Amino acid sequence: MEKSKKIVAIVGIVFLIGSYITTFVASLMHSSFAHGLFKASLFCSLVVPIILYGYILIYKYFSGKDHSDEE
């Protein structure tokens, strides 16, 4: 379980970094396509982490386990 959490975390980090790079590149371009790409990148940069956090909360609730590191 711990290994799968790390893999999901790494995939999430890579996705967010890619989204930030896409947002930066789109902000430098001057075309109508770039404007839509910029808006989509900003949306993903804000919404995807919120959705992932919600999934984590739902998983904790339905699994009945507290996954904190308290011992």
Side-chain angles (χ1 to χ4, degrees):
M1 184 65 170
E2 194 67 32
K3 187 175 180 179
S4 64
K5 281 184 180 181
K6 288 181 182 181
I7 292 171
V8 170
I10 290 170
V11 168
I13 290 169
V14 169
F15 178 78
L16 285 174
I17 289 173
S19 178
Y20 296 149
I21 291 170
T22 303
T23 303
F24 178 71
V25 170
S27 70
L28 297 177
M29 296 172 22
H30 298 288
S31 69
S32 60
F33 174 72
H35 183 68
L37 185 63
F38 180 73
K39 287 166 97 175
S41 295
L42 278 179
F43 178 79
C44 288
S45 296
L46 296 172
V47 173
V48 168
I50 293 169
I51 290 173
L52 291 175
Y53 180 71
Y55 285 155
I56 291 170
L57 289 178
I58 291 170
Y59 175 77
K60 284 182 181 180
Y61 178 76
F62 285 117
S63 70
K65 298 178 184 176
D66 184 18
H67 295 287
S68 63
D69 291 329
E70 299 176 14
E71 292 188 32

